[in-house]
Amino acid sequence: QAQVVESGGGLVQPGGSLRLSCAASGFTLDYYAIAWFRQAPGKEREGVACMSKGGSHPPYYADSVKGRFTVSRDNAKNTVYLQMNSLKPEDTAVYYCAVGTLGVIRSLSVPDFDSWGQGTQVTVSK
C-alpha cells in the first residue's frame, strides 16, 4: 500500500524559508503525480504544488505560491520536497503530501489524490 510521511514543518518568521519532505514507502514516487496541499484552521484544503506523474509535465503551482515555492523529487531517495521561501503569515497551515494512485497526471484537486500523509504543521509568525 502506498504510504507517504511528511516532515520538515516548524515555526519560522515572515520572510524565512522551510523545506518539507515527503518520503514514500511501498511504491515508487516517480510512477505517480505527487502533490502538496495545505489546510488552515477553518478553511478548506487547497492544492499548493504538484510534481507530475513521471515528470511528464512541468511542476504546477497555485497562484498564491508561484515564485516562492518549488517542488522537486529525488528518485534515489524516493522523496519529494517542497522548498518554501519568502514565507508569509498566510502560509500558516498543516501541509500534506498526497499521491495520485488513480492515474492523474497533474492536478491540484483534492479528489484526484487518494493516499495522504499525516501532515506537518507550518507556522509563520513573529
Side-chain angles (χ1 to χ4, degrees):
Q1 182 178 358
Q3 184 174 4
V4 290
V5 177
E6 306 94 335
S7 62
L11 173 64
V12 63
Q13 292 187 347
S17 298
L18 280 176
R19 188 178 78 159
L20 305 183
S21 299
C22 171
S25 61
F27 71 104
T28 301
L29 270 177
D30 195 39
Y31 292 173
Y32 304 100
I34 308 296
W36 287 94
F37 291 81
R38 67 186 180 186
Q39 188 165 20
K43 294 188 177 181
E44 293 187 354
R45 192 168 296 191
E46 63 170 350
V48 173
C50 180
M51 178 68 73
S52 68
K53 178 181 179 180
S56 59
H57 294 73
Y60 186 43
Y61 298 96
D63 288 343
S64 58
V65 305
K66 279 181 183 177
R68 300 188 299 123
F69 290 12
T70 303
V71 62
S72 62
R73 174 168 46 211
D74 185 333
N75 289 335
K77 295 183 178 180
N78 212 25
T79 299
V80 168
Y81 302 98
L82 183 68
Q83 177 67 42
M84 306 186 296
N85 299 329
S86 302
L87 283 162
K88 305 175 181 180
E90 51 264 44
D91 294 319
T92 296
V94 177
Y95 283 70
Y96 299 89
C97 177
V99 185
T101 64
L102 301 177
V104 64
I105 299 224
R106 189 179 70 174
S107 172
L108 290 179
S109 178
V110 170
D112 289 333
F113 295 86
D114 59 313
S115 183
W116 295 78
Q118 83 289 349
T120 185
Q121 176 70 47
V122 172
T123 303
V124 185
S125 175
K126 295 181 179 178

